[in-house]
Structures are given as structure tokens and as C-alpha cells.
Amino acid sequence: VTGRVASALSGTLTSWTLGVAGAEDRYGAGIGLAQGSWLVGVTGQPVTYYADTPLVLTATGGDFAGGTVRLVLHYFKPEPPEI
């Protein structure tokens, strides 16, 4: 997962994390609030999800009030060679 803060995040938070339920910081923690802040959330060990799994943005030290974050999910799908 990669992402960028498209418009500055506001509220009482000091940073934010990106993950999934049960692993709220799997893809990043301590991410900045300013426009242009970014993350490259690489999973250290392969992870497989067999059902739709929502990403979770969590405010650290407070709450979100506004702003925009754009996220992109990248995946690799290997294909066996053709005969």
C-alpha cells in the first residue's frame, strides 16, 4: 500500500497509522499530517487475505477532523509459464 496526504489532515491528532483490523499499523505508523506526506507500506512477510479486508486509518493522539488521504493498493500475481 502506498499513500499520500493530498490535503493536510486536521484535528487533534499528532500522526496517523495505516493497517487492517487487528494490525492497525501494519502498513505504517507515525505518518505526517502535512500535504505531501507519504507512506510506502510494504508487508515484511507475505500476507494473504481471502476476503475483502478494509484498510484502517487510525488517528494517533487525538481525532481526525478533515483532510484527504489517497491510497493505492499494489499486488503481485505470479503466473506460471505457458507451455
Side-chain angles (χ1 to χ4, degrees):
V1 178
T2 59
R4 185 173 304 273
V5 176
S7 64
L9 301 177
S10 61
T12 56
L13 68 161
T14 55
S15 66
W16 57 284
T17 64
L18 178 66
V20 295
E24 287 77 16
D25 63 351
R26 173 166 287 153
Y27 299 112
I31 307 164
L33 309 178
Q35 181 178 357
S37 296
W38 54 272
L39 72 105
V40 175
V42 177
T43 301
Q45 296 179 344
V47 176
T48 302
Y49 299 104
Y50 293 101
D52 291 346
T53 304
L55 293 172
V56 177
L57 280 73
T58 305
T60 304
D63 297 307
F64 291 108
T68 305
V69 175
R70 292 205 173 109
L71 300 172
V72 177
L73 175 65
H74 306 268
Y75 72 96
F76 171 70
K77 182 181 176 186
E79 295 286 337
E82 293 186 23
I83 298 177

